[in-house]
């Protein structure tokens, strides 16, 4: 059996300093349990909100087996240890690992889903939940179940004091990334060569940006003397843009991540990058609402209005063949065969709306059974 060396006292110690302080560390938070450690990994966009959701599940009445709950950071700042349980030996996750001593933390939606479907992980329950900011794919295994639980918006960002305008159309964004426009003066900004940035490979944000805002084009295949090659950074990390590039840079940015960073719910990776509006049918649509009592929030009309090209659902992906599937359902899903009477997680029962809003997400409305999650797209 997988007995934990760090037990409830550790979780209580973190809880006592408040959720924001806990989220700033890479220390796993888990309740005492000798049977299974429920493990989530994957998307950077939903990393921080899932840290708090997994912590809350660990001490909730829905956790009927007193399962431990762990969220592996997409980019660990220190080695992140998942203790052993009855199925999986202890693992230490780092940015780039070499098994069996250390393991590479799944960074991005694709990496999380690959880890979930890995046969060893399925059999031993080493990864139970894949965080994903992208929806179902035709290449998914039959056992995948996508539980959508909130709305996010993906827009573009530029730096304060730079050459970019306040708003672009989707056509202009696409034209920038396919090198049709190479200077900010061509799209309503101040003269200066544009430097394109994109998220890391395997990122659901990168895939969604390419598919929905660039209509399937891959900007990494296009460059010219007047249009420098794209540069790759971690998604939603404005501080990774080179200082010399900042006046000229454009980068995709999750509005929920920007809001959480601006409000102090997560570390501030923005530098001075700001999420900008996309003009649709002549109307600039800004996914970030103006401060309310000093705080930012999603612009509900834009998130749910149906016009914004970057609106998307975020998911937790489970696998029906996983050793931890039943416990994962209780944490982040619901019984799809018996939606009216079957098990449903606090997340899918509407109990985590304030947590989602804290991290800049818009909760999904309840359906006729009172379930606030969706299955699939």
């Amino acid at each position: 059996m997988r007995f934990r060396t760090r037990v409830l006292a550790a979780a209580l110690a973190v809880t006592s300093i408040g959720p924001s302080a806990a989220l700033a560390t890479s220390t796993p938070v888990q309740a005492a349990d000798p049977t299974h450690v429920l493990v989530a990994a994957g998307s950077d966009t939903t990393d921080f909100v899932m840290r708090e959701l997994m912590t809350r599940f660990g001490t909730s009445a829905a956790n009927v087996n007193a399962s431990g709950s762990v969220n592996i950071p997409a980019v660990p700042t220190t080695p992140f240890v998942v203790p052993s349980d009855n199925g999986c030996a202890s693992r230490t996750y780092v940015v780039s690992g070499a098994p069996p001593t250390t393991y590479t933390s799944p960074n991005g939606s694709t990496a999380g889903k690959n880890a979930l479907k890995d046969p060893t992980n399925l059999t031993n329950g080493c990864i139970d939940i894949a965080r994903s900011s992208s929806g179902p794919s035709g290449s998914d295994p039959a056992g995948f179940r996508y539980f959508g639980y909130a709305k996010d918006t993906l827009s573009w960002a530029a730096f304060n004091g730079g050459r970019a305008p306040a708003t672009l159309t989707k056509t202009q964004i696409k034209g920038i990334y396919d090198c049709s426009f190479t200077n900010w003066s061509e799209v309503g900004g101040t003269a200066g060569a544009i430097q394109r940035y994109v998220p890391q490979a395997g990122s659901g944000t990168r895939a969604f940006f390419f598919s929905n805002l660039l209509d399937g084009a891959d900007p990494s295949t296009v460059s010219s003397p007047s249009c420098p090659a794209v540069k790759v950074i971690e998604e939603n990390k404005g501080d990774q843009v080179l200082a010399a590039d900042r006046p000229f840079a454009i980068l995709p940015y999750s509005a929920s991540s920007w809001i959480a960073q601006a409000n102090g719910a997560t570390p501030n990776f923005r530098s001075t990058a700001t999420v900008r509006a996309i003009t649709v049918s002549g109307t600039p649509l800004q996914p970030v609402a103006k401060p309310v009592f000093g705080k930012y929030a999603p612009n509900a009309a834009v998130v749910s209005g149906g016009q914004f090209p970057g609106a998307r659902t975020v998911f937790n992906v489970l696998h029906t063949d996983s050793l931890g599937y039943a416990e994962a359902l209780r944490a982040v899903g619901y019984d799809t065969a018996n939606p009216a009477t079957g098990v449903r997680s606090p997340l899918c029962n509407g109990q985590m709306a304030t947590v989602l809003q804290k991290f800049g997400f818009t909760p999904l409305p309840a359906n006729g059974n009172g379930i606030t999650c969706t299955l699939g797209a």
Side-chain angles (χ1 to χ4, degrees):
M1 287 189 112
R2 175 177 175 184
F3 286 88
R4 227 165 305 242
T5 56
R6 283 169 292 189
V7 292
L8 184 59
L12 293 175
V14 175
T15 303
S16 68
I17 62 174
S20 295
L23 292 174
T25 73
S26 289
T27 303
V29 179
Q30 53 220 11
D33 167 47
T35 49
H36 186 68
V37 178
L38 193 65
V39 181
S43 169
D44 180 284
T45 299
T46 61
D47 184 354
F48 283 92
V49 69
M50 281 296 292
R51 296 188 196 192
E52 184 153 332
L53 290 170
M54 292 291 279
T55 298
R56 288 175 179 253
F57 171 73
T59 57
S60 75
N63 188 6
V64 295
N65 289 339
S67 301
S69 50
V70 172
N71 186 79
I72 302 171
V75 184
T77 55
T78 59
F80 186 94
V81 179
V82 177
S84 62
D85 66 9
N86 60 316
C88 191
S90 177
R91 290 184 175 185
T92 298
Y93 286 91
V94 294
V95 172
S96 181
T101 304
T102 57
Y103 289 77
T104 298
S105 180
N107 180 12
S109 302
T110 298
K113 287 183 276 191
N114 285 341
L116 175 63
K117 69 183 180 182
D118 176 83
T120 298
N121 290 338
L122 280 178
T123 301
N124 298 315
C126 298
I127 301 287
D128 306 286
I129 300 166
R131 306 186 303 261
S132 181
S133 59
S134 58
S137 164
S139 62
D140 289 334
F144 267 16
R145 298 291 182 271
Y146 283 74
F147 291 93
Y149 61 94
K151 283 285 188 181
D152 179 29
T153 47
L154 182 65
S155 193
W156 67 285
F159 287 81
N160 294 341
R163 308 301 174 89
T167 185
L168 292 171
T169 66
K170 180 183 174 182
T171 298
Q172 288 173 323
I173 295 170
K174 184 178 177 182
I176 287 170
Y177 275 91
D178 70 13
C179 292
S180 296
F181 303 120
T182 62
N183 196 290
W184 282 114
S185 62
E186 298 175 294
V187 290
T190 305
I194 300 171
Q195 177 58 62
R196 303 167 298 157
Y197 276 80
V198 296
Q200 78 281 5
S203 159
T205 293
R206 174 183 170 123
F208 186 87
F209 185 72
F210 287 9
S211 65
N212 285 60
L213 290 172
L214 304 185
D215 292 334
D218 181 353
S220 67
T221 64
V222 183
S223 63
S224 71
S226 62
C227 186
V230 296
K231 295 183 180 180
V232 179
I233 58 172
E234 182 74 17
E235 64 185 89
N236 308 315
K237 302 289 191 297
D239 59 349
Q240 292 187 5
V241 173
L242 297 177
D245 287 343
R246 291 181 185 181
F248 314 102
I250 181 173
L251 63 158
Y253 224 101
S254 156
S256 65
S257 293
W258 192 94
I259 291 166
Q261 293 169 25
N263 290 343
T266 72
N268 182 11
F269 303 111
R270 298 171 300 147
S271 180
T272 64
T274 58
V275 171
R276 307 293 175 98
I278 297 177
T279 294
V280 179
S281 301
T283 302
L285 300 180
Q286 170 54 264
V288 176
K290 293 181 179 180
V292 178
F293 302 114
K295 298 289 187 180
Y296 290 88
N299 187 336
V302 171
V303 175
S304 304
Q307 285 186 294
F308 194 76
R312 59 179 177 171
T313 300
V314 293
F315 300 88
N316 286 311
V317 187
L318 311 185
H319 198 307
T320 55
D321 293 340
S322 172
L323 180 68
Y325 179 69
E327 288 176 299
L329 270 185
R330 288 193 288 270
V332 297
Y334 66 92
D335 181 357
T336 58
N338 302 286
T341 58
V343 65
R344 63 181 67 171
S345 65
L347 178 59
C348 294
N349 209 25
Q351 295 169 254
M352 296 295 146
T354 56
V355 175
L356 297 176
Q357 291 163 344
K358 171 184 173 180
F359 290 93
F361 293 96
T362 300
L364 299 182
N367 66 16
N369 290 313
I371 295 172
T372 55
C373 290
T374 61
L375 184 65

